[in-house]
Amino acid sequence: MTTHSAKQAVKTSLYASKAPLEWAVTSNGALYTAQIPIDDKGEVVSGGIEAQTRQTLDNLKHTLECAGVGMDAVLQVLIYVTDREYLKTVNQVYAEYFEAPYPNRAALVIAGLAREEMLVELVVYAAVP
């Protein structure tokens, strides 16, 4: 019988979603999270792609801190945007939050996200103690 550490929810102060999800879970030394550009009321922030990217990364930073790690623990980021033109802005903001060696990443341009007004979403994997 293989022993696995149990999946644990990371307790954050992010808006509690009504959907059946946790903002982040950890298991076997890894943190799994998807972050979106919502404020503390659960509303998608206005201000376009720059404001949404910044809010999403702030939410990520908060989530990682709640798990006891920093942005340097991030191993991989999957970036989802609804317009290819947004990637330049996402990269500029992203560079303010990460330092070399950067996480591995992929960027995908998709037709839409769960909420129509969302322009960006990040799926992130990080190492935790």
Side-chain angles (χ1 to χ4, degrees):
M1 188 164 139
T2 312
T3 315
H4 294 287
S5 66
K7 174 177 63 177
Q8 299 251 314
V10 175
K11 297 298 175 213
T12 72
S13 63
L14 297 176
Y15 180 79
S17 176
K18 291 170 184 58
L21 63 83
E22 298 292 345
W23 286 117
V25 296
T26 60
S27 182
N28 294 317
L31 177 141
Y32 304 84
T33 187
Q35 296 291 330
I36 60 175
I38 59 169
D39 62 18
D40 57 2
K41 295 174 190 66
E43 301 296 320
V44 174
V45 297
S46 59
I49 188 61
E50 182 175 352
Q52 287 198 16
T53 302
R54 201 168 296 285
Q55 183 68 55
T56 302
L57 286 161
D58 285 344
N59 291 348
L60 172 61
K61 188 174 181 186
H62 167 75
T63 299
L64 292 168
E65 287 168 355
C66 290
V69 297
M71 297 293 276
D72 60 338
V74 173
L75 302 173
Q76 186 174 51
V77 179
L78 306 178
I79 300 168
Y80 295 86
V81 292
T82 57
D83 189 318
R84 189 174 315 279
E85 296 300 312
Y86 294 156
L87 290 172
K88 181 179 180 195
T89 302
V90 170
N91 277 333
Q92 289 170 341
V93 176
Y94 185 96
E96 296 173 26
Y97 288 78
F98 291 101
E99 297 176 356
Y102 298 102
N104 170 266
R105 62 177 242 196
L108 298 91
V109 180
I110 60 171
L113 291 160
R115 294 195 195 178
E116 190 177 347
E117 64 273 28
M118 283 178 21
L119 309 175
V120 62
E121 181 168 356
L122 301 179
V123 174
V124 178
Y125 306 99
V128 292

